[in-house]
Amino acid sequence: MVKNSFISVITEERKEENSGSVEFQVFHFTSKIRRLTLHLELHKKDFLSQRGLRKILGKRQRLLTYLSKKNKVRYKKLIDQLNIRELKTR
């Protein structure tokens, strides 16, 4: 398993000052999701990790929904930087 395979979009200086921002939280959840996905490819029957992955996906989805309602420009920029799909609209 390759550790730190996800390239940091946010620089080290900005991490300390903006750790509560929506963008940083989504970035942090995305890196956790990618790390857990790699883990689950090796350990298919690790059901507790699968549950944790689903919880993190839900948290990230709620944050992205909030950001898309508040500021579409920041939402689009974040989606492009992290290379993740847009939310499905109902």
Side-chain angles (χ1 to χ4, degrees):
M1 183 162 117
V2 177
K3 201 170 189 179
N4 296 330
S5 63
F6 182 63
I7 299 171
S8 176
V9 176
I10 301 172
T11 61
E12 291 295 325
E13 303 88 39
R14 291 188 60 200
K15 280 184 184 180
E16 294 172 4
E17 65 188 44
N18 293 330
S19 61
S21 70
V22 176
E23 288 91 349
F24 178 79
Q25 291 180 35
V26 171
F27 163 75
H28 188 66
F29 285 142
T30 303
S31 63
K32 277 187 175 182
I33 288 168
R34 291 185 177 162
R35 191 176 66 238
L36 274 173
T37 304
L38 288 174
H39 170 77
L40 288 171
E41 287 176 359
L42 295 174
H43 308 282
K44 295 181 184 354
K45 294 189 178 185
D46 189 356
F47 299 115
L48 292 177
S49 292
Q50 288 178 12
R51 181 175 184 264
L53 178 63
R54 285 193 300 269
K55 288 177 77 170
I56 293 171
L57 283 168
K59 288 179 184 180
R60 185 180 76 173
Q61 183 178 8
R62 285 192 297 275
L63 281 171
L64 287 172
T65 302
Y66 167 79
L67 188 61
S68 70
K69 289 179 183 177
K70 289 292 182 182
N71 193 340
K72 279 284 193 192
V73 175
R74 284 173 50 196
Y75 169 74
K76 290 282 188 186
K77 183 178 174 185
L78 183 65
I79 293 291
D80 291 338
Q81 282 180 343
L82 295 178
N83 197 18
I84 53 179
R85 290 183 282 173
E86 287 194 39
L87 297 173
K88 294 180 181 177
T89 56
R90 292 183 182 188

